[in-house]
Amino acid sequence: MHETAIAQSIIDTVMTHADKAGAKHVDKVEIEIGELTFLGIDQIRFWIENQIAGTVAEKAEWIFHSVPGGIRCPACQYEGDIKTAETEDHFRLPVFACPECGQANIEITQGRDAWIKAIHVEID
Amino acid sequence: MKTILTGDGRTLSITPQTGFFKQNTALAMENKKIFTDAGIIAVDILGSVGAGKTTLAGALVAYLKGQKRLAAIAGDLTTEIDAQRIRAQGAEVLQINTDKGCHLDANMIKNAMDCLNLSNLDIVLIENVGNLICPSGYQLGAHHRMVVISVTEGPYQVVKHPHIFQDVSVVVINKIDLADVMEVDPQKLIADIHTIRPGIPVILTNGRTGQGIAELATALKLDK
Ligand SMILES: Nc1nc2c(ncn2[C@@H]2O[C@H](COP(=O)(O)OP(=O)(O)O)[C@@H](O)[C@H]2O)c(=O)[nH]1
Ligand SMILES: [Mg+2]
Ligand SMILES: [Zn+2]
């Protein structure tokens, strides 16, 4: 459900900007999706492609980039990736703690949002 | 936002870069401030359909009602059933029906807050829509997020949904009375939770008998 809402927001944003710029065509849209958002890129792409027939974005190329989760440790100032660990049953799980000093109260700095990085339009 | 015209003047690059979750997160921060200024502790209760969110909210109301003034906000696609169940335990309850929405968002909470008399309350329990995926992305402005899993969901619920634990402050393993019949080892679930979130409080409960509810209230700092 939540992918359809994000897809609609992406379309609305692209159309608003294309309109404001007086675009003839939208060539390319670059979208960044944080890995901690749970958003399925394939589903978003499917919903967008379903909705844009007959618009100036009909032939646009939709490029999705996945943004990995990032954390910051207030104790030792570690800033970087979320590491994973293996459980007894050999499942790999993300670890929301500092990989350097073990601090459990970390801050999530990246990966919880999604945004349009760039809209490339042809105006003439 | 920046707009760049290319060399030949025929194409434009527009960079809106506004996060789709940003507005919700900002609104959640406002909600949190309103709760805090009113001296209220708000708890966002997450968990699958049937995990025991309503039962536990009701049990917390029954346990705390002598000493605290409680209200609850119940989120569900349709019906008033959960609101009535929590109300029966002695709290003011608002039902939010999300229709087709798979999660509550900060704006729904803001609207609900307008209908509550905040100066008469100490605690607001918010039952999110039964879902272990979407609610995680939408902060509401609660001071605590608690996830309820139950042993009836089987032994792999934690390893299958690790990301729901990313910003919760307390985890409940409910229906502990059924652990043996379900052949689920709660200690293993705790170990999995602690792999993702080292040291996070994990409370074992039986929502029907009230076992573990006092401990849960303490972990959420509701009984102080
Ligand atoms: N055996 C047992 N049943 C429970 C427990 N907690 C809740 N239930 C039952 O589980 C069902 C679903 O609970 P409910 O609170 O509606 O789940 P929700 O969908 O998460 O709100 C109800 O029939 C409850 O009576 C428990 O600890 N043990
Ligand atoms: Mg319920
Ligand atoms: Zn550290």
Side-chain angles (χ1 to χ4, degrees):
Chain A
M1 261 331 282
H2 150 227
E3 276 83 3
T4 62
I6 294 291
Q8 196 56 52
S9 300
I10 292 172
I11 293 168
D12 293 346
T13 308
V14 169
M15 292 305 167
T16 305
H17 287 293
D19 197 38
K20 238 195 300 186
K24 267 173 56 190
H25 298 288
V26 177
D27 290 335
K28 189 161 85 175
V29 182
E30 294 177 69
I31 300 154
E32 312 247 285
I33 307 279
E35 281 176 10
L36 303 180
T37 62
F38 296 86
L39 292 166
I41 289 177
D42 291 343
Q43 283 151 280
I44 296 177
R45 183 191 295 283
F46 174 78
W47 276 100
I48 289 175
E49 289 175 353
N50 245 318
Q51 296 293 315
I52 45 127
T55 72
V56 291
E58 186 171 40
K59 297 213 168 67
E61 185 186 355
W62 301 88
I63 298 174
F64 288 89
H65 302 284
S66 196
V67 179
I71 58 173
R72 202 183 73 78
C73 172
C76 76
Q77 313 304 323
Y78 167 87
E79 200 161 348
D81 294 347
I82 293 166
K83 302 286 188 253
T84 59
E86 200 170 302
T87 68
E88 224 180 279
D89 318 318
H90 311 295
F91 293 104
R92 278 238 146 246
L93 298 179
V95 180
F96 290 91
C98 178
E100 296 289 335
C101 74
Q103 168 75 22
N105 274 323
I106 46 88
E107 193 191 317
I108 299 175
T109 53
Q110 187 182 281
R112 299 199 72 182
D113 212 332
W115 64 94
I116 299 178
K117 193 175 161 216
I119 306 164
H120 305 277
V121 302
E122 217 171 295
I123 49 176
D124 169 45
Chain B
M1 192 189 90
K2 251 185 357 207
T3 306
I4 301 164
L5 198 62
T6 53
D8 60 9
R10 290 188 53 242
T11 57
L12 268 182
S13 289
I14 305 156
T15 53
Q17 300 206 332
T18 312
F20 291 113
F21 293 87
K22 215 177 195 162
Q23 207 184 351
N24 182 76
T25 307
L27 198 51
M29 292 303 113
E30 279 175 35
N31 290 349
K32 190 174 189 170
K33 185 167 185 313
I34 295 169
F35 279 133
T36 306
D37 289 350
I40 291 171
I41 299 181
V43 184
D44 179 9
I45 306 175
L46 307 176
S48 296
V49 175
K53 297 179 296 302
T54 307
T55 307
L56 292 172
L60 281 170
V61 168
Y63 176 71
L64 292 164
K65 71 181 169 195
Q67 60 184 117
K68 299 284 179 184
R69 299 163 299 172
L70 294 103
I73 300 172
D76 249 319
L77 301 190
T78 62
T79 77
E80 269 268 336
I81 299 168
D82 282 4
Q84 283 160 10
R85 287 170 59 201
I86 303 171
R87 204 173 283 139
Q89 301 298 324
E92 181 186 351
V93 187
L94 282 176
Q95 179 81 50
I96 301 179
N97 284 140
T98 57
D99 189 13
K100 294 181 185 67
C102 47
H103 56 266
L104 294 178
D105 62 34
N107 193 44
M108 295 173 184
I109 298 306
K110 187 169 181 44
N111 293 338
M113 284 163 86
D114 290 342
C115 305
L116 291 171
N117 188 351
L118 298 180
S119 57
N120 276 341
L121 292 170
D122 302 308
I123 294 167
V124 174
L125 304 173
I126 305 167
E127 179 179 349
N128 218 308
V129 180
N131 181 335
L132 277 186
I133 305 172
C134 312
S136 169
Y138 296 87
Q139 292 176 50
L140 305 180
H143 299 87
H144 293 285
R145 269 196 145 166
M146 109 185 189
V147 174
V148 182
I149 58 170
S150 62
V151 299
T152 50
E153 292 153 38
Y156 302 118
Q157 187 74 334
V158 176
V159 297
K160 282 181 189 168
H161 295 274
H163 286 291
I164 195 75
F165 300 97
Q166 62 183 261
D167 64 352
V168 306
S169 39
V170 173
V171 179
V172 173
I173 302 177
N174 190 35
K175 308 195 188 179
I176 210 67
D177 52 307
L178 301 176
D180 287 344
V181 248
M182 296 307 296
E183 297 179 8
V184 168
D185 177 3
Q187 293 310 317
K188 201 119 170 247
L189 289 173
I190 295 174
D192 290 342
I193 294 163
H194 281 159
T195 299
I196 303 166
R197 292 289 309 277
I200 194 176
V202 181
I203 317 291
L204 306 183
T205 59
N206 177 340
R208 288 196 173 161
T209 61
Q211 178 192 342
I213 297 300
E215 216 187 321
L216 176 59
T218 304
L220 292 168
K221 304 184 180 71
L222 300 180
D223 53 0
K224 279 201 301 209

